[in-house]
């Protein structure tokens, strides 16, 4: 009787131990697929940029190119106008990040902390701004920017990019501030802080991870956007708009070099704010 009673218990224990192992295997498999999905295209672009003319068309691809060459990259960087376009893109993306946080965070805070008539309709209208086609506004925007003196400037491009990133910034920061208990601010008020001081000393440090994610989104939108930058600039083009024009008939390895240059700043920006981004999931990073 004792032996027969122990057998089902042992079998159920084995099944219980197998389930976490299967879940762990599924988790690591999913992570490996996700990492490959992100890194393999970047690696292939790097092979095309540093593999030379022959490396672009060689198949199968080698893990490390035997004829590593920086010729295409160096020749691409010395093309007239590339460095200026790179600076313009950095300026436009930086301003977009600043404007998106400066405008989106207060809007998200107001939506999270205050109740007013038409609040749900306002959220919907903010979201619907992304559904409006930018091509319809191309001509009116061009005319308006010329009249205001904003045409062909990185500042003017950053304003359009801010419009594209602002709905996301407002809605994400709203959910972010809703997750921070209001009691924290009330406790700061009790100890003599003003509303602004309570926000800066209590709420803002807790919101930094979410604001970092918002900043990444705004930066990537501005860095990769090409339509508005092509329409609103002629001489002071951003890098994406400039590459669209000069690489249309360029050799393929030069196109890979341009694509690699476009990837690097976004990766570096994400790496710079990773400590705040990882804090969203409770991961410590130094």
């Amino acid at each position: 009787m004792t032996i027969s009673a122990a057998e089902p218990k042992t079998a159920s224990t084995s099944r219980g131990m197998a389930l976490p192992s299967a879940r762990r295997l599924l988790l690591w498999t999913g992570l490996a697929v996700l990492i490959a999905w992100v890194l393999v295209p970047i690696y292939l672009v790097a092979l095309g940029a540093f593999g030379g003319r022959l490396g672009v068309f060689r198949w199968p691809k080698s893990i490390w190119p035997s004829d590593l060459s920086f010729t295409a990259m160096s020749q691409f960087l010395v093309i007239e106008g590339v460095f200026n376009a790179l600076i313009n893109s950095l300026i436009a993306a930086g301003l977009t990040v600043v404007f998106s946080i400066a405008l989106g965070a207060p809007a998200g805070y107001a939506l999270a902390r205050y109740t007013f008539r038409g609040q749900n309709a306002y959220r919907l209208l903010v979201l619907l701004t992304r559904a409006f086609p930018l091509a319809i506004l191309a001509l009116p925007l061009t005319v308006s920017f010329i009249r205001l003196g904003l045409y062909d400037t990185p500042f003017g491009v950053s304003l359009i990019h801010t419009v594209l990133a602002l709905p996301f910034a407002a809605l994400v920061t709203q959910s972010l501030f809703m997750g921070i208990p209001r009691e924290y601010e009330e406790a700061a008020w009790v100890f003599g802080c003003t509303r602004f001081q309570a926000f800066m000393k209590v709420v803002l440090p807790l919101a930094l991870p979410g604001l970092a994610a918002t900043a990444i989104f705004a930066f990537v939108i501005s860095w990769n956007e090409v339509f508005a930058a092509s329409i609103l600039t002629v001489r002071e083009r951003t890098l994406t708009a400039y590459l669209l024009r000069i690489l249309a008939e360029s050799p393929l390895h030069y196109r890979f070099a341009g694509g690699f240059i476009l990837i690097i700043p976004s990766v570096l920006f994400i790496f710079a704010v990773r400590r705040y981004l990882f804090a969203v999931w409770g991961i410590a990073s130094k």
Side-chain angles (χ1 to χ4, degrees), residues 24-274:
R24 191 178 298 110
L25 178 61
L26 182 62
L27 174 63
W28 284 108
T29 303
L31 289 176
V33 171
L34 181 61
I35 291 173
W37 178 270
V38 175
L39 295 183
V40 169
I42 297 177
Y43 181 70
L44 293 177
V45 171
L47 283 180
F50 296 104
R53 184 186 299 270
L54 297 178
V56 175
F57 300 99
R58 182 179 291 114
W59 186 263
K61 300 292 185 183
S62 59
I63 297 178
W64 186 261
S66 57
D67 51 349
L68 187 65
S69 173
F70 293 89
T71 303
M73 186 65 66
S74 60
Q75 291 179 351
F76 171 80
L77 290 175
V78 298
I79 295 176
E80 183 180 359
V82 168
F83 183 75
N84 184 58
L86 176 63
I87 297 300
N88 289 336
S89 285
L90 291 174
I91 294 174
L95 290 175
T96 301
V97 170
V98 172
F99 293 155
S100 298
I101 298 298
L103 298 175
Y109 183 82
L111 289 171
R113 288 290 189 261
Y114 300 100
T115 302
F116 53 89
R117 182 178 299 178
Q119 188 175 27
N120 293 329
Y122 178 75
R123 291 195 190 100
L124 182 61
L125 289 175
V126 168
L127 189 60
L128 286 178
T129 56
R130 288 304 307 273
F132 199 80
L134 187 61
I136 297 178
L137 299 176
L139 183 58
L141 280 175
T142 302
V143 174
S144 299
F145 273 43
I146 291 175
R147 291 177 178 175
L148 296 173
L150 298 175
Y151 187 77
D152 201 21
T153 62
F155 179 77
V157 174
S158 68
L159 293 180
I160 301 301
H161 292 173
T162 301
V163 172
L164 298 177
L166 195 56
F168 177 88
L171 296 180
V172 167
T173 52
Q174 176 202 352
S175 61
L176 178 67
F177 291 129
M178 289 179 66
I180 300 175
R182 186 183 180 89
E183 288 76 10
Y184 291 173
E185 294 178 84
E186 294 175 349
W189 299 343
V190 170
F191 286 101
C193 289
T194 63
R195 287 183 177 269
F196 181 75
Q197 289 174 336
F199 176 82
M200 295 299 295
K201 295 181 179 181
V202 177
V203 178
L204 186 59
L206 296 175
L208 281 180
L211 294 179
T214 305
I216 289 174
F217 182 83
F219 185 90
V220 172
I221 276 188
S222 177
W223 185 261
N224 294 328
E225 201 281 329
V226 64
F227 180 76
S230 299
I231 293 175
L232 299 176
T233 56
V234 177
R235 292 173 297 180
E236 300 297 329
R237 291 187 179 275
T238 60
L239 188 59
T240 51
Y242 190 74
L243 293 182
L244 181 66
R245 182 173 65 87
I246 68 171
L247 294 182
E249 299 179 359
S250 299
L252 193 57
H253 57 292
Y254 286 113
R255 300 185 190 183
F256 277 108
F260 187 76
I261 292 295
L262 286 175
I263 293 173
I264 291 301
S266 296
V267 174
L268 293 178
F269 184 80
I270 293 173
F271 183 80
V273 299
R274 73 191 187 285

